[in-house]
Amino acid sequence: MRTWTRAVPAALGVVALAVALVGCNDSGSKKGKSDGKKDHAAAPSDAGKKKQTFRLGEPSPAQKSDMKESEGATFTVTPTKVVTGTKAEMDASGLKKDKKDGPQIPVHVWSTLTHKSGKAMELDDMDDDLVLRTNVQNRTRALLVLMGEAKWNNCPEPDSDKKLSAGQSEKICTTFLIPEGQKAAAVELTQGFYNEPLEWPVKG
């Protein structure tokens, strides 16, 4: 599943429909991805490292791409800032949610993606393993807008198709939805089904 707030053109009159995969302890899940997409894994040079917890602003170990077009390329993900939005911001976004999901609020996560080596990679393939964990251990992947558009004043949609080459970096903002009343506890980067995710705790 792609991790950015994305809009797919729809016929007039169709309201925005958002989907956010939410589940407890499903950090290895790759639901919604294309068949050719595999889990990102730590690059071989980082395999022996045990560190799992980082400070916001501290980069992840090098991650290795398993995408066909960029297989073997490495990159890092650096969550830098987490800001919880408000109900008013949610209402002003134009986003329509299914009532069964209950009241939700946005959480915006700023990250820096850095291409380290190998073939060029699209931004969309570099942050798709980011997960937001709440204070009650709910985990959610980033918001995916299927129809219509959602606008966030302070979190512009990145150019997901933009490619980075070795040595290049890009700052992006990703939006997650969490139940109203819960708090963001950590940003996580999944490491496949058999490894614990990397995490960046959120203070406050």
Side-chain angles (χ1 to χ4, degrees):
M1 175 175 180
R2 297 184 185 275
T3 61
W4 291 302
T5 302
R6 301 192 55 148
V8 177
L12 285 175
V14 180
V15 298
L17 172 65
V19 176
L21 294 183
V22 181
C24 295
N25 301 316
D26 68 341
S27 58
S29 173
K30 290 291 174 181
K31 296 178 182 178
K33 291 193 173 183
S34 60
D35 293 340
K37 199 164 192 176
K38 302 177 183 178
D39 293 343
H40 293 312
S45 61
D46 296 297
K49 295 184 179 180
K50 301 295 183 181
K51 187 172 182 178
Q52 295 292 122
T53 303
F54 304 85
R55 300 183 309 276
L56 287 175
E58 189 175 4
S60 70
Q63 305 293 296
K64 185 176 180 180
S65 172
D66 287 319
M67 294 297 296
K68 184 176 181 180
E69 293 184 357
S70 59
E71 187 173 2
T74 62
F75 61 97
T76 59
V77 180
T78 309
T80 58
K81 183 172 68 171
V82 178
V83 176
T84 300
T86 63
K87 182 179 183 301
E89 182 185 12
M90 184 74 173
D91 293 340
S93 71
L95 187 67
K96 302 296 182 182
K97 286 287 294 177
D98 195 317
K99 291 183 179 179
K100 68 182 180 181
D101 292 328
Q104 294 184 307
I105 55 175
V107 176
H108 307 300
V109 176
W110 279 263
S111 303
T112 300
L113 307 177
T114 302
H115 191 291
K116 305 298 286 187
S117 66
K119 300 177 182 177
M121 289 186 68
E122 292 184 2
L123 295 180
D124 201 26
D125 295 329
M126 298 174 73
D127 82 330
D128 63 352
D129 290 328
L130 281 176
V131 171
L132 186 72
R133 175 167 56 82
T134 73
N135 59 319
V136 296
Q137 303 303 308
N138 282 337
R139 288 177 169 86
T140 181
R141 291 192 180 277
L143 180 66
L144 172 68
V145 176
L146 295 180
M147 293 183 292
E149 295 185 359
K151 299 291 185 182
W152 311 103
N153 289 335
N154 299 313
C155 187
E157 181 181 358
D159 180 3
S160 58
D161 295 327
K162 181 177 180 178
K163 287 188 176 183
L164 297 185
S165 298
Q168 293 182 320
S169 296
E170 185 82 4
K171 294 180 180 180
I172 65 166
C173 184
T174 308
T175 299
F176 299 80
L177 295 183
I178 64 174
E180 190 173 357
Q182 294 186 22
K183 296 180 180 180
V187 179
E188 296 184 343
L189 186 66
T190 64
Q191 300 287 285
F193 289 100
Y194 304 107
N195 299 298
E196 289 296 317
L198 306 179
E199 70 168 22
W200 289 258
V202 176
K203 296 180 180 180

